[in-house]
Amino acid sequence: DQQVKQNSPSLSVQEGRISILNCDYTNSMFDYFLWYKKYPAEGPTFLISISSIKDKNEDGRFTVFLNKSAKHLSLHIVPSQPGDSAVYFCQKVVRFGAGTRLTVKP
Amino acid sequence: EAGVAQSPRYKIIEKRQSVAFWCNPISGHATLYWYQQILGQGPKLLIQFQNNGVVDDSQLPKDRFSAERLKGVDSTLKIQPAKLEDSAVYLCASSLVTGGRETQYFGPGTRLLVL
């Protein structure tokens, strides 16, 4: 059962622009979602989370939006920086999406 | 605060050989996870411990994989015998619950190549 899906394996954006990474989920029994960021040869690190009691959670340049009716969440990075280039995973409990590789070009 | 430690970082073995990975979680974290991450995929849970008890091992291939968490702290994951398809990064994570919400902290992973 694939409870968490990230349908875009890669995304490329220009420095300073907005990056939008998407995640869809099934089985809305669980109400807490997390985004992790992973650099090569390192383990994933926690980035930002959102609970279903909220539609939006913001932390600096990172904002996560939750659309419960569509069972969809998105991570916005504004402005994008070259150091944001990494693989981003969304997580629900212990289920991870396949990840989206973000490349931010200078 | 020290992070999650894993060793070795890299391991190359031949199929049918045995291998073991070690994880030392963050001090005070009761929950420990082992994940398998195959190239191009997200981490897949193998086993979850709460202290030294198993919470979920439903996706652990028990015919060849085993894991234990001695005294509720360090953990080892063993593969015996290894198959080619076991080539992956094995991630260990421990978690902290704050305000009823859990955040996992990952180690750097062990990259296994089975030839």
Side-chain angles (χ1 to χ4, degrees):
Chain A
D1 66 340
Q2 193 170 358
Q3 295 188 19
V4 182
K5 284 188 179 181
Q6 291 177 258
N7 293 317
S8 298
S10 63
L11 174 67
S12 182
V13 301
Q14 207 68 33
E15 181 179 6
R17 298 291 186 97
I18 184 172
S19 295
I20 300 176
L21 298 97
N22 296 302
C23 181
D24 297 302
Y25 63 93
T26 58
N27 186 358
S28 56
M29 290 290 291
F30 303 102
D31 61 355
Y32 185 57
F33 303 89
L34 303 95
W35 283 93
Y36 286 81
K37 176 179 180 179
K38 186 182 183 302
Y39 292 116
E42 296 182 13
T45 55
F46 169 72
L47 188 58
I48 192 169
S49 64
I50 189 165
S51 163
S52 60
I53 63 174
K54 294 184 174 182
D55 297 324
K56 173 183 172 181
N57 188 25
E58 189 172 355
D59 183 2
R61 297 185 297 113
F62 302 91
T63 303
V64 56
F65 295 91
L66 178 61
N67 183 333
K68 292 181 281 294
S69 60
K71 296 185 179 179
H72 176 84
L73 63 157
S74 60
L75 174 68
H76 293 211
I77 307 173
V78 182
S80 300
Q81 299 175 354
D84 296 330
S85 297
V87 177
Y88 291 79
F89 295 98
C90 64
Q91 182 199 34
K92 180 168 71 87
V93 193
V94 293
R95 300 285 190 259
F96 282 85
T100 298
R101 181 178 299 278
L102 173 65
T103 302
V104 180
K105 298 179 180 178
Chain B
E1 178 183 81
V4 176
Q6 289 187 250
S7 67
R9 292 296 309 274
Y10 305 92
K11 190 72 176 180
I12 301 175
I13 61 173
E14 295 185 348
K15 60 183 179 183
R16 292 188 289 273
Q17 285 187 322
S18 302
V19 65
F21 312 130
W22 173 83
C23 173
N24 179 233
I26 294 173
S27 177
H29 285 195
T31 306
L32 185 147
Y33 305 83
W34 281 103
Y35 289 89
Q36 179 193 59
Q37 186 180 10
I38 293 173
L39 188 65
Q41 299 180 19
K44 183 186 98 171
L45 179 69
L46 292 174
I47 189 167
Q48 176 185 350
F49 290 96
Q50 180 77 16
N51 296 308
N52 60 354
V54 176
V55 174
D56 182 356
D57 64 355
S58 58
Q59 297 195 80
L60 186 73
K62 299 180 186 64
D63 57 333
R64 298 184 301 107
F65 286 65
S66 64
E68 60 181 3
R69 190 179 183 194
L70 302 173
K71 300 179 181 178
V73 182
D74 292 6
S75 178
T76 55
L77 176 70
K78 296 179 182 178
I79 308 175
Q80 180 179 11
K83 292 185 176 181
L84 297 177
E85 57 261 36
D86 298 333
S87 295
V89 176
Y90 290 84
L91 294 163
C92 177
S94 65
S95 70
L96 179 67
V97 177
T98 304
R101 300 302 182 190
E102 180 185 19
T103 301
Q104 295 181 28
Y105 297 83
F106 285 83
T110 296
R111 185 175 297 274
L112 174 67
L113 178 60
V114 182
L115 302 176

